[in-house]
Amino acid sequence: MLRPQDSATRERKSLNGLWAFRLDSAGAGRAEGWWRSRLDGSREMPVPASYNDIVPDLAVRDHVGDAWYQTSVRVPRHWTEERIVLRFDAATHRAVVWVNDVQVAEHEGGYTPFEADVTDHVEPGGEARVTIVVNNELTWASVPPGQLGEGPDGKRTQNYFHDFFNYAGLHRSVWLYATPKTRVSGITVDTGLDGGTGTVRYAVEHVGNASVQVALRDAAGAEVAISEGAEGVLTIADVHPWAPGDGYLYELEARLRDADGGLVDSYVLPVGVRTVEVRGTEFLINGEPFYFRGFGKHEDAPIRGKGHDDALMVHDFELMEWIGANSFRTSHYPYAEEVLDYADRHGIVVIDETAAVGLNARMTMFGRADAPSTYTEKTVGSETQRNHLEAVRELVVRDRNHPSVVLWCIANEPDGGVPEARDYFAPLFAEARKLDPTRPVGFVNIMMDGPDKCVLSELADVLMVNRYYGWYSQTGDLAAAEPVLEAELRAWADKHGKPIIITEYGADTLAGLHSVVDNPWSEEYQVDLLDMYHRVFDRIDAVVGEHIWNFADFATRPAIIRVDGNKKGVFTRDRRPKSAAFSVRRRWRKDL
Ligand code: BDP
């Protein structure tokens, strides 16, 4: 699905702003047809944003069920010959959309876009009512999973198995856009390097009768290659590769022409020419060993929750540059496409993750006698797997043209210690590889499934592991934690001979709490714990990356191990540095 853009033949109109909004715990709106008229009793709600923290009311913050958004849009009057499309960059976690009285779209999954051709339902020059019901319920079948329950007052309650707040709403932009009826409908590119020569293998899909021409321009706008036909290879002499720290982008323009040579459609795609390869225990970008320095992040901020915000995004990238990070993981869901565009332009490397977090009954219900096993038809079963497969597809299809993305992550900390895990995961790995044979595929391993236990690591090209020695075990005892960490990482290296990225390690830290002795929660303890991990990483050749958990403190639901959220950030939630930010910067910014 191509993103909306303004081009020689295309135009888009943002629907961002204040929408009418109404909660609907009882689910009455679907039966009563709330889309048929103006939303009664609504309040105003910003889009994009999570709705949860906008209103100072627990009933909004902890709402479970449907929430309705409505706006009206004036369709540009000159869109008379066009195909008109309504697109949501995300609606968390599922949605149904109406234009005026007609249902036009339905989508499952909170972090990938969807759209509807609404040409037949709107009038150029006229106004159209757009209504969307967004539902935030998580069940065993959804990705991520959760469990619905009932409180003593008969109210629906939501339990879930991931450690971040279940924000919901319209988190990303909404667009009305126009394309010609004969149009480019998809583009994929794979790039290669051979000495100083670069190649861009492309495939352009289109709808309607037209011939395809593809041109490639360099960053200065000079045309460097041109090709006729829907598929082909563009060759670039003296190529400027995309590389970590050097986000050099070419611009590929796909043009459709009619029989007289007239321009029918034009779509412009930024392209970075680079290669990715796993060889032995090395992770190679453009044939050079790459070492990941950075963070697991979240889309999370006060007030707006998971709503995309350009100011916050640019600030986060600036802080990452300040500290010397060269990469991050989109833990634990696909991020806004604006984030990947920025990473492309700035040479930041991305591990791109699906929303499959918390597929682990043993972990999440630890110690409970009634803990179900993870992979059953009543828990993570075939319906979950179908949704998960679709989540993998939507991620790869959405993001495969981004040079910044170098590795697909299918899930975070699933239960990988039981044989059923393989049956569940093997088709997901196969699908990712089928859709994109050019990138390695992995998943993130949980601490309790060590190298002798994990049955999934065989399937992965790269080992990604989250470890919390010195925090969740050996708490406060770094001297005890160090040898355990080292022994385990060595065991992984010996067993698989694959590159290892430590995708999470860290300590909850309350900014402003200081201690002269190793004292968990203090700023000094975070510094010391990270130092200890770094010493170990430097002793093991197979370790090719360190992603600290987390870039910044983030919201979680209330829990006795959480003080106003998860505090493992190197920055606070409002992006102030803790002491660790400076010590990490000294390690990562050797140039200073
Ligand atoms: C890991 C999870 C991450 C949590 C982290 C923690 O992958 O989402 O936030 O632990 O406990 O298990 O801080």
Side-chain angles (χ1 to χ4, degrees):
M1 194 196 306
L2 292 176
R3 288 172 71 190
Q5 67 174 219
D6 293 303
S7 78
T9 55
R10 294 172 172 239
E11 202 175 339
R12 60 188 180 156
K13 179 168 178 165
S14 166
L15 269 63
N16 293 354
L18 297 178
W19 289 45
F21 176 82
R22 184 173 168 189
L23 294 179
D24 178 19
S25 317
R30 296 189 197 230
E32 292 170 9
W34 286 3
W35 61 90
R36 290 204 187 93
S37 55
R38 278 171 67 159
L39 271 185
D40 278 343
S42 62
R43 48 162 47 106
E44 292 189 81
M45 189 57 70
V47 173
S50 304
Y51 57 74
N52 309 77
D53 290 347
I54 301 292
V55 185
D57 180 354
L58 213 56
V60 178
R61 183 168 163 90
D62 290 343
H63 170 75
V64 180
D66 286 348
W68 294 75
Y69 287 78
Q70 192 177 68
T71 193
S72 70
V73 56
R74 173 75 56 185
V75 181
R77 65 187 168 152
H78 57 278
W79 287 4
T80 49
E81 300 301 313
E82 322 296 307
R83 170 178 174 265
I84 302 173
V85 183
L86 176 64
R87 163 164 163 140
F88 290 82
D89 283 358
T92 313
H93 294 280
R94 65 187 60 75
V96 182
V97 183
W98 293 264
V99 167
N100 299 324
D101 287 352
V102 184
Q103 181 180 324
V104 295
E106 198 170 351
H107 184 255
E108 173 73 26
Y111 304 95
T112 42
F114 57 97
E115 62 180 30
D117 180 338
V118 298
T119 319
D120 293 341
H121 311 302
V122 298
E123 273 304 314
E127 215 173 39
R129 188 174 63 249
V130 176
T131 311
I132 177 168
V133 59
V134 178
N135 178 278
N136 67 349
E137 292 168 14
L138 299 175
T139 66
W140 278 112
S142 61
V143 173
Q147 254 180 329
L148 290 166
E150 207 180 277
D153 48 2
K155 260 200 174 160
R156 216 149 356 144
T157 56
Q158 175 75 69
N159 178 30
Y160 49 92
F161 318 129
H162 52 269
D163 180 39
F164 56 94
F165 191 82
N166 186 31
Y167 281 115
L170 297 179
H171 287 151
R172 298 176 189 161
S173 292
V174 185
W175 303 97
L176 192 69
Y177 72 96
T179 74
K181 297 221 163 96
T182 297
R183 64 189 186 276
V184 177
S185 54
I187 306 177
T188 50
V189 294
D190 295 328
T191 61
L193 289 168
D194 185 6
T197 305
T199 52
V200 179
R201 179 180 299 279
Y202 71 88
V204 175
E205 290 162 41
H206 70 281
V207 175
N209 219 344
S211 61
V212 181
Q213 186 186 59
V214 170
L216 195 71
R217 293 185 286 269
D218 65 16
E223 192 168 282
V224 293
I226 190 152
S227 171
E228 303 288 336
E231 288 180 18
V233 179
L234 299 155
T235 303
I236 314 160
D238 225 354
V239 66
H240 187 150
W242 185 97
D246 182 9
Y248 190 91
L249 296 175
Y250 290 86
E251 206 174 73
L252 180 148
E253 184 184 355
R255 298 183 199 125
L256 297 186
R257 295 199 184 277
D258 61 21
D260 304 327
L263 183 70
V264 178
D265 193 16
S266 155
Y267 193 92
V268 174
L269 180 77
V271 173
V273 182
R274 60 110 184 88
T275 63
V276 175
E277 190 191 337
V278 169
R279 195 187 301 150
T281 58
E282 288 186 318
F283 194 99
L284 307 175
I285 298 182
N286 302 340
E288 300 279 321
F290 179 71
Y291 191 91
F292 296 75
R293 300 185 311 261
F295 301 95
K297 286 190 91 252
H298 264 301
E299 292 187 311
D300 175 87
I303 306 168
R304 58 182 59 75
K306 294 203 173 304
H308 175 74
D309 176 69
D310 278 343
L312 181 75
M313 174 186 77
V314 174
H315 187 55
D316 278 5
F317 274 108
E318 291 285 351
L319 285 176
M320 283 199 278
E321 188 184 337
W322 173 87
I323 204 169
N326 61 11
S327 56
F328 66 95
R329 175 169 60 117
T330 71
S331 40
H332 293 305
Y333 34 82
Y335 286 6
E337 289 168 84
E338 289 85 341
V339 176
L340 298 179
D341 287 346
Y342 191 102
D344 289 344
R345 289 194 301 276
H346 295 264
I348 307 294
V349 171
V350 178
I351 301 175
D352 207 1
E353 186 163 287
T354 70
V357 51
L359 279 64
N360 201 326
R362 287 187 302 140
M363 171 67 188
T364 50
M365 309 209 181
F366 192 65
R368 270 179 54 174
D370 59 346
S373 64
T374 302
Y375 304 97
T376 71
E377 274 310 298
K378 285 199 175 125
T379 50
V380 178
S382 47
E383 211 184 328
T384 326
Q385 194 192 33
R386 255 198 314 280
N387 285 329
H388 197 163
L389 200 60
E390 186 55 25
V392 169
R393 282 189 197 120
E394 290 187 19
L395 177 76
V396 175
V397 167
R398 192 193 75 161
D399 292 347
R400 60 161 295 161
N401 291 332
H402 287 283
S404 56
V405 174
V406 300
L407 173 57
W408 301 116
C409 179
I410 285 186
N412 181 68
E413 297 190 340
D415 182 350
V418 293
E420 307 88 89
R422 244 190 117 99
D423 305 332
Y424 178 92
F425 273 97
L428 303 179
F429 276 88
E431 185 70 12
R433 292 196 171 102
K434 188 180 98 196
L435 289 172
D436 178 14
T438 74
R439 284 178 182 83
V441 187
F443 75 101
V444 168
N445 163 282
I446 190 168
M447 188 157 164
M448 59 208 237
D449 294 340
D452 295 334
K453 203 156 172 224
C454 181
V455 299
L456 296 177
S457 299
E458 286 289 334
L459 298 171
D461 299 309
V462 176
L463 303 174
M464 291 185 270
V465 300
N466 293 349
R467 289 301 177 268
Y468 287 98
Y469 299 116
W471 188 254
Y472 290 124
S473 66
Q474 295 89 26
T475 314
D477 191 349
L478 297 176
E482 183 162 348
V484 185
L485 172 68
E486 178 157 0
E488 199 205 328
L489 292 180
R490 289 198 187 283
W492 280 110
D494 292 346
K495 177 154 187 194
H496 292 281
K498 294 175 183 174
I500 304 171
I501 303 170
I502 294 74
T503 31
E504 287 183 29
Y505 59 106
D508 281 275
T509 304
L510 206 57
L513 181 70
H514 295 284
S515 175
V516 289
V517 293
D518 274 350
N519 195 5
W521 291 92
S522 68
E523 294 201 26
E524 289 71 22
Y525 190 74
Q526 187 182 35
V527 169
D528 291 347
L529 180 140
L530 297 178
D531 279 353
M532 180 278 277
Y533 274 75
H534 295 152
R535 278 198 302 278
V536 173
F537 300 163
D538 291 346
R539 294 197 288 262
I540 301 177
D541 290 340
V543 171
V544 301
E546 51 194 58
H547 277 178
I548 296 169
W549 191 254
N550 189 285
F551 171 74
D553 295 345
F554 58 89
T556 65
R557 67 183 156 174
I560 49 170
I561 57 161
R562 297 286 173 255
V563 186
D564 187 33
N566 188 307
K567 291 277 184 282
K568 294 195 185 69
V570 161
F571 296 93
T572 60
R573 199 176 188 213
D574 62 353
R575 276 52 177 174
R576 288 167 194 259
K578 300 179 190 172
S579 301
F582 299 94
S583 64
V584 169
R585 186 172 190 240
R586 279 192 291 278
R587 173 177 171 83
W588 288 353
R589 291 285 307 259
K590 295 271 158 49
D591 57 315
L592 294 177

